[in-house]
Amino acid sequence: MHEHTETSVVIIDTLQKVREAEGDTYSYARDYDIIAGLKAFADRTGICLILVHHTRKQKSDDNFDRISGTNGLLGAADGAFIMYKNKRSDGDATIEVSGRDQPDKKYMLSRNKETLCWDFKGERFPDYAEPPEPVLEAIGNFINADNPTWEGTATELIEKLWRYGRYLFISGTDESADPFPMYGLWGGDHRLMWPHNMANENIQMIYWHVFAGNLLPFHKAFFRYYNDRLSAFEENARKLFGMRGIYMTAGTTPGVSAPNQVVPVIMNWVGAAGWIAQHYDQYARYTWDDGYFQDVILPYLLEVADFYEDFVEFYPDGTLHFYPSVSPENTPGNFMPPPHRMIPHPMPTTVNSTIDLAILKEFFTHMCALAEQHPELKDRVPAWEKILATIPAYRVNDQGAVKEWQDDRFEERYDHRHLSHIYPVFPGKEINSLHGKDLLPAFEKAVRLREIDAQTGWSMAHMAAIFARLEKGEDALECLNKMARSCLTNSFFTLHNDWRGMNISWNMDPAPVQLDAIMGYVNAVQEMLMYSSDDLLKLLPALPQELKAGEIKDFRYQDGSVNMRWNVEKNEFSAT
């Protein structure tokens, strides 16, 4: 390409000539990686890359299933054209078109015996028309070319942003695609600031809403993404720690699974795989799909268990020692340099951060519960129970707040955006009004001590969800309102930080788009309306005044779904 800079189209005839020789066996992951690599080359060079490939002889109800190999080939490509004849001797043929950025088409061709070329005869069917979708129509109606601005009440804004966040999510991924990234599909050709899937907060936030929001099938993209990288994560664990299982660096991309951010608070944090495991476990509890559990969920969970079993150490007094340990992406106050020497992320590691202990406790608690249903796991339970028995209890500092590090050598630092140490309340469910409720005031105090001008769009969405778990509806809504005032664009895209100079969040130039914040907004609204755990279901647990009347349908919880209608002023409530 360096020698032929004017090239705009490259045709490879056939794909088999450029793919690696790996025998006659195919797998989805292998096929996907081959096409993903070629697509990355096309995107990087700005060319159109056309691959010629063979089809199978046998017919299928879906003609694209006739592409030789697995669905991974089509899954990674931008689109596909398939040409076929009903009989080998036919003079007519059909081309079908399918892809991400073009409507499905079906064209008829006829072979010209004089020119030996195919002549276009027309479309066999008109463009396929999608059935009406109320959510998408509502979004299209409220801001469009004829109506470029929106005005409404605060209550109407909550509903609009909830619908819009779901619309973006549904538009930006599906179960056969990559997970929804922080910029969605709308990064274009820009050099994006944070184009990776970040697992110390962001990708989790993007997917929190799918459970109550009844979008569970979309989570399969998330699981396939991480399961496809298990061999790379195993290599990370083996080379960096000499341990079994997987070490997942917080930031990955479709093409890079090895540690790639040379930042100590990223490199030294081993909690990503455990936090991601929360989504695997919760999906299993919502779906009870044993086949999917055995094929997808359990293999990942066992890799995480292997690593943590090797990683933890015990003090002579029997208590657990978790090191290196990080509270993303914070540094203890007594290890911060003086203001005139400020550097980002100065502290490389700590011991026994609250989030790491909480993830460890949550993970092995869930694994012990799974062992009760899966006898093949019972031999491992004693090791898991030993770890659980030695995790230090959460301690409270002299300000009445839960400590961010359960080690007295590390002092609090409230001037930070992450809320990692609140994990037992949210996104975990260890502490609630049934379990550990005596600690709820200490967790609430820790949240209120966070400085508002250190927050971001996504951290205010996270804080809103925490306040909803604490059943503080007005505080939760105030966080969302602050996010909307400071980190929301005219297009309703959310930004990382304040772009209007409102002085109510972190001030950074530029303020990059981060759509995890609007997904976090969707989740926080749902948290106000419903809370569910293994043994607790609460309806309207954190209802703010702005949501004093409303209706929801098909919100999911672990054992079913619920429809609700309420009006506080009329003292009316119904649920089915």
Side-chain angles (χ1 to χ4, degrees), residues 116-351:
L116 300 181
C117 295
W118 291 98
D119 293 336
F120 175 67
K121 294 179 63 177
E123 293 185 44
R124 176 167 292 180
F125 300 111
D127 290 351
Y128 172 70
E130 292 282 352
E133 168 50 60
V135 173
L136 304 189
E137 288 185 353
I139 295 299
N141 290 336
F142 99 87
I143 292 185
N144 52 45
D146 298 325
N147 184 33
T149 61
W150 177 83
E151 293 182 5
T153 66
T155 304
E156 290 170 335
L157 179 63
I158 296 168
E159 181 179 359
K160 294 297 185 185
L161 288 177
W162 180 81
R163 290 183 180 276
Y164 188 56
R166 284 166 57 88
Y167 163 71
L168 291 177
F169 181 78
I170 292 168
S171 301
T173 185
D174 62 43
E175 60 183 277
S176 63
D178 279 338
F180 189 98
M182 284 197 281
Y183 297 85
L185 302 180
W186 304 283
D189 296 327
H190 295 284
R191 291 181 60 87
L192 305 175
M193 184 173 293
W194 295 305
H196 43 276
N197 296 310
M198 199 67 182
N200 68 0
E201 170 84 21
N202 311 92
I203 195 168
Q204 291 94 326
M205 176 175 286
I206 289 169
Y207 279 84
W208 282 333
H209 67 93
V210 304
F211 293 102
N214 211 355
L215 295 173
L216 287 168
F218 287 85
H219 227 322
K220 290 185 176 180
F222 179 102
F223 301 135
R224 189 185 63 255
Y225 176 85
Y226 285 110
N227 278 36
D228 284 351
R229 287 152 182 78
L230 287 179
S231 59
F233 296 154
E234 288 173 346
E235 185 177 7
N236 294 346
R238 185 174 65 254
K239 289 183 175 179
L240 293 177
F241 293 94
M243 295 175 183
R244 299 174 300 143
I246 58 173
Y247 161 65
M248 177 197 302
T249 184
T252 61
T253 68
V256 180
S257 304
N260 57 86
Q261 296 165 285
V262 188
V263 180
V265 294
I266 303 296
M267 292 284 291
N268 291 334
W269 188 55
V270 299
W275 190 346
I276 292 293
Q278 182 195 74
H279 289 249
Y280 280 74
D281 179 81
Q282 194 165 353
Y283 183 89
R285 292 167 186 263
Y286 270 69
T287 60
W288 298 104
D289 182 341
D290 190 62
Y292 194 78
F293 176 83
Q294 294 290 344
D295 294 341
V296 177
I297 304 295
L298 186 59
Y300 178 88
L301 296 179
L302 290 177
E303 293 277 14
V304 178
D306 286 343
F307 180 82
Y308 281 147
E309 286 177 22
D310 290 357
F311 183 82
V312 299
E313 296 183 1
F314 302 95
Y315 287 120
D317 65 0
T319 57
L320 183 136
H321 178 86
F322 199 100
Y323 172 85
S325 182
V326 171
S327 188
E329 299 167 4
N330 203 1
T331 291
N334 55 322
F335 284 87
M336 287 294 294
H340 67 280
R341 294 182 54 209
M342 288 300 293
I343 57 174
H345 312 306
M347 185 64 173
T349 187
T350 64
V351 180

Side-chain angles (χ1 to χ4, degrees), residues 12-31:
I12 297 176
D13 186 4
T14 61
L15 171 63
Q16 192 63 33
K17 292 183 179 179
V18 297
R19 72 187 301 173
E20 296 180 8
E22 295 179 321
D24 296 328
T25 60
Y26 298 96
S27 72
Y28 181 96
R30 184 180 302 162
D31 284 348

